[in-house]
Amino acid sequence: MNRTELVAAIANKTELSRKDAEKALKAFTEIVAEELKNGEKIQLVGFGTFEVSERAARTGRNPQTGEAMEIEASKTPKFKAGKALKDTVNEK
């Protein structure tokens, strides 16, 4: 499912116009990105948790030359699925 299909599904499920569904999705993604940027965690009970994971600096290899190189420390967004979401996905 791509973004356009997701907007259409949200509009259909909520009986909102596509334009309003697009605004709601955009607001959600912007808020999640802003909160993660500020180091906050977003927890949606039953769905999952969005949080930031720290990656330490490390030594890697350039795949073309095999030469060792330093990879800087960084932050990366992470999503951990909640129990209810896991149960829904695993239903038979």
Short mmCIF file of all heavy atoms in Angstrom, two decimals, residues 41-66:
data_model
loop_
_atom_site.label_atom_id
_atom_site.label_comp_id
_atom_site.label_asym_id
_atom_site.label_seq_id
_atom_site.Cartn_x
_atom_site.Cartn_y
_atom_site.Cartn_z
N LYS A 41 9.26 9.92 22.87
CA LYS A 41 8.75 8.62 22.47
C LYS A 41 7.24 8.75 22.31
O LYS A 41 6.59 9.41 23.12
CB LYS A 41 9.12 7.61 23.56
CG LYS A 41 8.62 6.22 23.32
CD LYS A 41 9.33 5.21 24.21
CE LYS A 41 8.75 5.12 25.58
NZ LYS A 41 9.25 3.96 26.34
N ILE A 42 6.68 8.13 21.28
CA ILE A 42 5.23 8.15 21.07
C ILE A 42 4.72 6.73 21.25
O ILE A 42 5.12 5.82 20.54
CB ILE A 42 4.88 8.67 19.67
CG1 ILE A 42 5.37 10.10 19.52
CG2 ILE A 42 3.38 8.55 19.41
CD1 ILE A 42 5.17 10.67 18.15
N GLN A 43 3.82 6.56 22.21
CA GLN A 43 3.30 5.24 22.53
C GLN A 43 1.81 5.21 22.26
O GLN A 43 1.04 5.96 22.86
CB GLN A 43 3.58 4.94 24.00
CG GLN A 43 3.32 3.53 24.39
CD GLN A 43 3.85 3.24 25.79
OE1 GLN A 43 4.17 4.15 26.54
NE2 GLN A 43 3.94 1.98 26.13
N LEU A 44 1.41 4.36 21.32
CA LEU A 44 0.00 4.17 20.99
C LEU A 44 -0.40 2.79 21.51
O LEU A 44 -0.06 1.77 20.91
CB LEU A 44 -0.22 4.26 19.48
CG LEU A 44 0.25 5.57 18.83
CD1 LEU A 44 0.15 5.46 17.31
CD2 LEU A 44 -0.56 6.73 19.33
N VAL A 45 -1.07 2.76 22.64
CA VAL A 45 -1.41 1.51 23.31
C VAL A 45 -2.17 0.59 22.36
O VAL A 45 -3.13 1.00 21.71
CB VAL A 45 -2.23 1.77 24.59
CG1 VAL A 45 -2.66 0.47 25.23
CG2 VAL A 45 -1.43 2.61 25.57
N GLY A 46 -1.71 -0.63 22.25
CA GLY A 46 -2.34 -1.62 21.38
C GLY A 46 -1.79 -1.60 19.96
O GLY A 46 -1.95 -2.56 19.21
N PHE A 47 -1.15 -0.53 19.56
CA PHE A 47 -0.60 -0.44 18.21
C PHE A 47 0.92 -0.57 18.23
O PHE A 47 1.48 -1.44 17.58
CB PHE A 47 -1.01 0.88 17.55
CG PHE A 47 -0.55 0.99 16.12
CD1 PHE A 47 -1.14 0.23 15.12
CD2 PHE A 47 0.49 1.84 15.78
CE1 PHE A 47 -0.70 0.32 13.81
CE2 PHE A 47 0.93 1.94 14.47
CZ PHE A 47 0.33 1.18 13.48
N GLY A 48 1.59 0.31 18.97
CA GLY A 48 3.04 0.23 19.05
C GLY A 48 3.67 1.51 19.55
O GLY A 48 2.99 2.45 19.92
N THR A 49 5.01 1.52 19.52
CA THR A 49 5.77 2.65 20.03
C THR A 49 6.78 3.12 19.00
O THR A 49 7.51 2.31 18.42
CB THR A 49 6.53 2.23 21.32
OG1 THR A 49 5.59 1.73 22.26
CG2 THR A 49 7.27 3.39 21.93
N PHE A 50 6.80 4.42 18.77
CA PHE A 50 7.82 5.05 17.93
C PHE A 50 8.84 5.64 18.88
O PHE A 50 8.48 6.37 19.80
CB PHE A 50 7.22 6.19 17.09
CG PHE A 50 6.19 5.74 16.08
CD1 PHE A 50 4.84 5.71 16.41
CD2 PHE A 50 6.58 5.37 14.81
CE1 PHE A 50 3.90 5.32 15.49
CE2 PHE A 50 5.64 4.98 13.88
CZ PHE A 50 4.29 4.96 14.21
N GLU A 51 10.14 5.35 18.65
CA GLU A 51 11.18 5.93 19.49
C GLU A 51 12.47 6.09 18.69
O GLU A 51 12.57 5.63 17.56
CB GLU A 51 11.42 5.08 20.74
CG GLU A 51 11.80 3.65 20.48
CD GLU A 51 11.79 2.81 21.76
OE1 GLU A 51 11.82 3.38 22.85
OE2 GLU A 51 11.76 1.59 21.63
N VAL A 52 13.44 6.75 19.31
CA VAL A 52 14.72 6.99 18.67
C VAL A 52 15.75 6.06 19.28
O VAL A 52 15.82 5.90 20.50
CB VAL A 52 15.17 8.46 18.85
CG1 VAL A 52 16.55 8.68 18.27
CG2 VAL A 52 14.17 9.39 18.18
N SER A 53 16.54 5.42 18.43
CA SER A 53 17.60 4.53 18.86
C SER A 53 18.95 5.18 18.55
O SER A 53 19.12 5.77 17.49
CB SER A 53 17.47 3.20 18.12
OG SER A 53 18.52 2.34 18.46
N GLU A 54 19.88 5.09 19.48
CA GLU A 54 21.21 5.66 19.30
C GLU A 54 22.13 4.61 18.68
O GLU A 54 22.16 3.47 19.12
CB GLU A 54 21.80 6.09 20.65
CG GLU A 54 20.97 7.10 21.40
CD GLU A 54 21.18 8.51 20.92
OE1 GLU A 54 22.23 8.79 20.32
OE2 GLU A 54 20.28 9.33 21.15
N ARG A 55 22.87 5.01 17.66
CA ARG A 55 23.89 4.14 17.07
C ARG A 55 25.25 4.71 17.42
O ARG A 55 25.52 5.88 17.14
CB ARG A 55 23.75 4.09 15.55
CG ARG A 55 22.61 3.26 15.08
CD ARG A 55 22.69 3.14 13.58
NE ARG A 55 21.74 2.17 13.09
CZ ARG A 55 21.44 1.99 11.83
NH1 ARG A 55 22.02 2.74 10.92
NH2 ARG A 55 20.58 1.08 11.47
N ALA A 56 26.11 3.91 18.00
CA ALA A 56 27.44 4.36 18.38
C ALA A 56 28.33 4.50 17.14
O ALA A 56 28.07 3.87 16.11
CB ALA A 56 28.06 3.35 19.35
N ALA A 57 29.38 5.31 17.28
CA ALA A 57 30.36 5.42 16.20
C ALA A 57 31.05 4.05 16.06
O ALA A 57 31.23 3.34 17.04
CB ALA A 57 31.38 6.50 16.54
N ARG A 58 31.40 3.71 14.84
CA ARG A 58 32.03 2.40 14.62
C ARG A 58 32.92 2.44 13.39
O ARG A 58 32.85 3.36 12.59
CB ARG A 58 30.96 1.32 14.48
CG ARG A 58 30.01 1.57 13.33
CD ARG A 58 28.73 0.75 13.48
NE ARG A 58 27.85 0.89 12.33
CZ ARG A 58 27.05 1.90 12.11
NH1 ARG A 58 27.00 2.91 12.95
NH2 ARG A 58 26.27 1.94 11.04
N THR A 59 33.72 1.42 13.25
CA THR A 59 34.58 1.30 12.08
C THR A 59 33.90 0.38 11.08
O THR A 59 33.46 -0.72 11.43
CB THR A 59 35.95 0.72 12.48
OG1 THR A 59 36.53 1.57 13.46
CG2 THR A 59 36.87 0.64 11.28
N GLY A 60 33.81 0.82 9.85
CA GLY A 60 33.22 0.02 8.78
C GLY A 60 34.21 -0.15 7.66
O GLY A 60 35.37 0.25 7.75
N ARG A 61 33.77 -0.76 6.58
CA ARG A 61 34.63 -0.98 5.42
C ARG A 61 33.96 -0.41 4.18
O ARG A 61 32.76 -0.58 3.98
CB ARG A 61 34.88 -2.46 5.21
CG ARG A 61 35.63 -3.11 6.34
CD ARG A 61 36.83 -3.83 5.80
NE ARG A 61 37.64 -4.32 6.90
CZ ARG A 61 38.82 -3.82 7.21
NH1 ARG A 61 39.34 -2.84 6.52
NH2 ARG A 61 39.51 -4.31 8.21
N ASN A 62 34.76 0.24 3.34
CA ASN A 62 34.27 0.71 2.05
C ASN A 62 34.12 -0.53 1.17
O ASN A 62 35.09 -1.24 0.93
CB ASN A 62 35.28 1.69 1.45
CG ASN A 62 34.84 2.23 0.12
OD1 ASN A 62 34.14 1.56 -0.64
ND2 ASN A 62 35.26 3.44 -0.18
N PRO A 63 32.91 -0.82 0.67
CA PRO A 63 32.70 -2.05 -0.10
C PRO A 63 33.47 -2.09 -1.42
O PRO A 63 33.78 -3.15 -1.93
CB PRO A 63 31.19 -2.10 -0.34
CG PRO A 63 30.68 -0.75 -0.04
CD PRO A 63 31.68 -0.07 0.84
N GLN A 64 33.80 -0.93 -1.97
CA GLN A 64 34.53 -0.90 -3.24
C GLN A 64 36.02 -1.15 -3.06
O GLN A 64 36.63 -1.85 -3.87
CB GLN A 64 34.31 0.44 -3.96
CG GLN A 64 32.88 0.60 -4.43
CD GLN A 64 32.66 1.94 -5.12
OE1 GLN A 64 33.40 2.90 -4.88
NE2 GLN A 64 31.66 2.00 -5.97
N THR A 65 36.59 -0.55 -2.00
CA THR A 65 38.04 -0.65 -1.83
C THR A 65 38.45 -1.57 -0.69
O THR A 65 39.61 -1.98 -0.61
CB THR A 65 38.65 0.74 -1.55
OG1 THR A 65 38.13 1.23 -0.32
CG2 THR A 65 38.33 1.71 -2.67
N GLY A 66 37.54 -1.89 0.20
CA GLY A 66 37.87 -2.70 1.36
C GLY A 66 38.58 -1.91 2.44
O GLY A 66 38.98 -2.44 3.48
#
